[in-house]
Amino acid sequence: MAQDQIFTLRDDCGVELKIIPVALNLDKEIYLLHIVEEDHSVKKKFIRNELILIGNQILTSTFSDTVHFAEELNLFDIGNNQNKYLDITEYQSTKNLKLKNISDKNIFISKSEAKAMYKIFNLAFLGYSVATVLEREFKLTPQILTQLLHKFNFLLK
């Protein structure tokens, strides 16, 4: 995946949106995808959606699910069977998080990686308004996003 590649699409009202990848963990190919609207007349950038992409698989497709994923990272030691995205596993007396619902491989996240990813997640919002995502979230299904990512060869780089 090309971390520096940004591409655009339009919502139902014709507003241009940019999809910007933010690497949460390069080694494990975990990315936060910003879907952003820019209003040049007021010089503001608005978050319209946030997605988690792991390798070539979309893990979350709504803003609320993406925030839920981030909070599971934040609550590393309190994981339980009710966690939607992450399991707590233990290997040689060391606790790790294991990503659920990832089809092709086991991905484990250490405590320091989880903390760093959560910090990057929060830093990624600096300079953006989140009011728009709460009022007018751009609904992007995994199928539509996958088509777009393949159209621009985003998953192949």
Side-chain angles (χ1 to χ4, degrees):
M1 176 175 174
Q3 175 186 346
D4 59 349
Q5 185 174 349
I6 298 171
F7 60 94
T8 62
L9 60 119
R10 296 202 177 272
D11 70 4
D12 293 338
C13 298
V15 175
E16 183 179 85
L17 304 174
K18 289 183 181 178
I19 298 180
I20 304 168
V22 176
L24 295 178
N25 187 307
L26 279 174
D27 294 337
K28 297 184 173 136
E29 298 181 344
I30 302 172
Y31 293 88
L32 174 68
L33 296 182
H34 278 313
I35 299 177
V36 178
E37 172 186 339
E38 290 186 48
D39 186 339
H40 298 290
S41 64
V42 294
K43 297 180 182 176
K44 285 192 97 165
K45 296 183 270 183
F46 303 94
I47 297 289
R48 292 287 302 277
N49 201 339
E50 295 288 328
L51 309 159
I52 297 294
L53 180 72
I54 300 173
N56 291 339
Q57 187 173 340
I58 299 158
L59 186 66
T60 66
S61 61
T62 65
F63 183 70
S64 62
D65 283 345
T66 302
V67 171
H68 182 184
F69 173 81
E71 286 305 318
E72 286 188 13
L73 286 172
N74 187 37
L75 299 172
F76 184 95
D77 290 327
I78 309 174
N80 58 45
N81 292 335
Q82 296 175 351
N83 281 0
K84 184 174 181 179
Y85 302 106
L86 301 162
D87 273 330
I88 295 277
T89 61
E90 193 166 329
Y91 178 71
Q92 295 180 347
S93 300
T94 302
K95 287 185 179 180
N96 287 290
L97 293 174
K98 180 182 177 199
L99 283 162
K100 292 182 178 181
N101 304 318
I102 300 299
S103 57
D104 58 346
K105 57 185 169 182
N106 290 328
I107 298 175
F108 296 93
I109 300 170
S110 71
K111 189 170 190 171
S112 64
E113 288 173 324
K115 284 182 158 190
M117 288 170 61
Y118 185 72
K119 187 175 277 188
I120 292 167
F121 177 85
N122 287 311
L123 289 172
F125 288 94
L126 295 177
Y128 292 95
S129 171
V130 294
T132 304
V133 75
L134 300 174
E135 297 169 4
R136 294 186 310 140
E137 180 176 359
F138 177 67
K139 304 287 191 240
L140 191 60
T141 65
Q143 295 81 10
I144 292 170
L145 181 60
T146 301
Q147 289 171 356
L148 284 169
L149 294 174
H150 281 291
K151 176 182 174 184
F152 290 100
N153 294 321
F154 195 62
L155 296 176
L156 304 175
K157 297 186 181 193

